[in-house]
């Protein structure tokens, strides 16, 4: 049974309970309907009809319609761009055109047909380790609730533990979405927990054209415009609708890094839970085809996802499925074989 999850983003636009554009962060939000991916070596039994082979370090671009590699330029001719372990679409932050897509689960690649082409599309966008902090309930009215996981956020030599308590606050006596409450504590003094309420991330409402809310890790809520925040080192975390970002990488000029822990027990987290430095991540571009393979300890694992991709020119939809990697290494691979078929 195919589980579609692009419905989540439609609900974000259509419901009065919560709405907002796909802004910085949130690319992985379409996974909320089905939980985290399951990684394994399993691949469907399919014959590849597409491939790319790296001869150097330059990215390679592939056109579904032309069924071959093409020049990586500013045109809409290419649909997927391959670089190291990343696969980008020709839209959002990765391209200038209409490319994008969704990912989904199904029993088999052949089960996916034109009826599964979504009414809305995700594009490559900006995100952080907080991308999947919430669950979305669509059984009655659309509501967002925290998953309750604990995150560690590192700035310079200090590490803080953070949990999202609530996405809903109150304004003029009525419940309002995107007014956060969080708990935060410096792991040098973990018992000194601060609760920050009224972090107003409403950003002007459903069109999210207003300014985000900015805070510091020592518990201050700042008054900054998005323009002022672009080059500012004063803020550490940014809240805008259901998106949470850190001041690092593609989201800011700082060096604030984060990691998600597997525990939900905020009080139990101590300095003993701080992982190695390389576990902490800066904000980065989160492609629609994100973490499509993981190379660990000499073993290549794939998520149980399939991809439906809109072409760069916006006219067609294809399903896409990576099949076989040649010479995988930590920093990339030599060649990739894949299957793609036109849906619409």
């Amino acid at each position: 049974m195919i589980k579609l999850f692009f419905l989540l983003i439609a609900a974000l636009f259509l419901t009065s309970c919560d709405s907002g554009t796909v802004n910085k962060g949130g690319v992985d939000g379409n996974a909320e309907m089905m939980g985290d991916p399951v990684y394994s070596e399993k691949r469907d039994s399919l014959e590849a009809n597409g491939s790319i082979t790296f001869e150097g370090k330059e990215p390679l671009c592939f056109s579904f319609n032309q069924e071959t590699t093409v020049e990586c330029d500013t045109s809409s001719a290419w649909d997927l761009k391959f670089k190291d372990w990343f696969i980008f679409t020709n839209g959002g932050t990765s391209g200038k055109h209409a490319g994008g897509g969704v990912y989904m689960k199904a029993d088999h690649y052949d089960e996916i047909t034109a009826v599964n082409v979504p009414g809305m599309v995700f594009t490559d966008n900006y995100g952080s380790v907080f991308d999947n902090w919430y669950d979305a309930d669509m059984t009655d009215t659309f509501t967002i609730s925290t998953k309750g996981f604990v995150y560690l956020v590192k700035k310079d030599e200090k590490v803080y533990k953070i949990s999202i308590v609530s996405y809903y606050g109150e304004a003029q006596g009525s419940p309002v979405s995107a007014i956060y409450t969080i708990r935060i504590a410096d792991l040098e003094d973990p018992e000194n927990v601060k609760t920050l309420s009224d972090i107003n991330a409403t950003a002007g409402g459903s069109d999210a054209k207003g300014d985000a809310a900015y805070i510091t890790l020592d518990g201050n809520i700042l008054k900054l415009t998005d323009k002022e925040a672009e080059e500012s080192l004063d803020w550490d975390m940014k809240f805008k609708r259901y998106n949470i970002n850190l001041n690092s990488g593609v989201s800011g000029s700082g060096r604030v890094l984060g990691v998600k822990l597997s525990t939900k027990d905020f009080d139990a987290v101590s300095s003993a839970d701080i992982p190695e430095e390389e576990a902490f991540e800066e904000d980065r571009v989160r492609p629609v085809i994100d973490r499509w393979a993981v190379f660990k300890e000499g073993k290549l694992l794939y998520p149980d996802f399939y991809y439906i991709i809109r072409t760069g020119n916006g006219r067609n939809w294809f399903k896409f499925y990576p099949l076989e990697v040649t010479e995988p290494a930590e920093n990339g691979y030599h060649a990739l074989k894949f299957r793609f078929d036109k849906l619409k």
Side-chain angles (χ1 to χ4, degrees), residues 49-175:
N49 61 352
S51 67
I52 54 106
T53 301
F54 289 104
E55 301 299 339
K57 294 187 176 296
E58 292 302 311
L60 293 173
C61 289
F62 191 88
S63 166
F64 288 144
N65 286 315
Q66 298 182 47
E67 301 183 358
T68 187
T69 54
V70 295
E71 186 176 352
C72 292
D73 55 20
T74 58
S75 75
S76 63
W78 63 270
D79 303 311
L80 295 182
K81 180 183 290 185
F82 300 82
K83 180 174 173 56
D84 302 325
W85 283 105
F86 299 103
I87 303 177
F88 304 104
T89 57
N90 197 348
T93 59
S94 300
K96 299 180 179 296
H97 298 281
V102 296
Y103 51 96
M104 61 186 297
K105 289 188 178 182
D107 291 334
H108 193 275
Y109 177 87
D110 292 337
E111 187 180 341
I112 302 166
T113 67
V115 300
N116 305 123
V117 171
M120 306 191 73
V121 62
F122 284 86
T123 59
D124 294 3
N125 217 317
Y126 299 121
S128 76
V129 296
F130 284 90
D131 280 347
N132 289 321
W133 68 267
Y134 61 88
D135 276 317
D137 182 359
M138 295 174 59
T139 55
D140 186 9
T141 57
F142 181 80
T143 56
I144 281 181
S145 60
T146 178
K147 286 183 175 180
F149 286 102
V150 182
Y151 297 82
L152 299 184
V153 176
K154 185 176 188 295
K155 182 179 181 182
D156 299 324
E157 298 305 314
K158 281 187 172 289
V159 178
Y160 299 77
K161 60 178 178 178
I162 295 172
S163 68
I164 310 301
V165 176
S166 174
Y167 181 67
Y168 294 93
E170 193 171 286
Q172 298 179 342
S174 300

Side-chain angles (χ1 to χ4, degrees), residues 259-270:
V259 64
K260 174 186 173 183
L261 300 181
S262 59
T263 182
K264 298 182 181 182
D265 191 345
F266 180 87
D267 294 329
V269 173
S270 69

Side-chain angles (χ1 to χ4, degrees), residues 200-234:
N200 191 332
T202 53
S206 61
D207 60 5
K209 291 182 179 179
D211 293 315
Y214 297 89
I215 73 165
T216 64
L217 291 171
D218 56 7
N220 293 316
I221 301 175
L222 306 177
K223 290 186 177 180
L224 284 176
T225 66
D226 288 349
K227 184 66 176 176
E228 291 169 338
E230 286 180 3
E231 302 298 327
S232 174
L233 298 178
D234 293 338

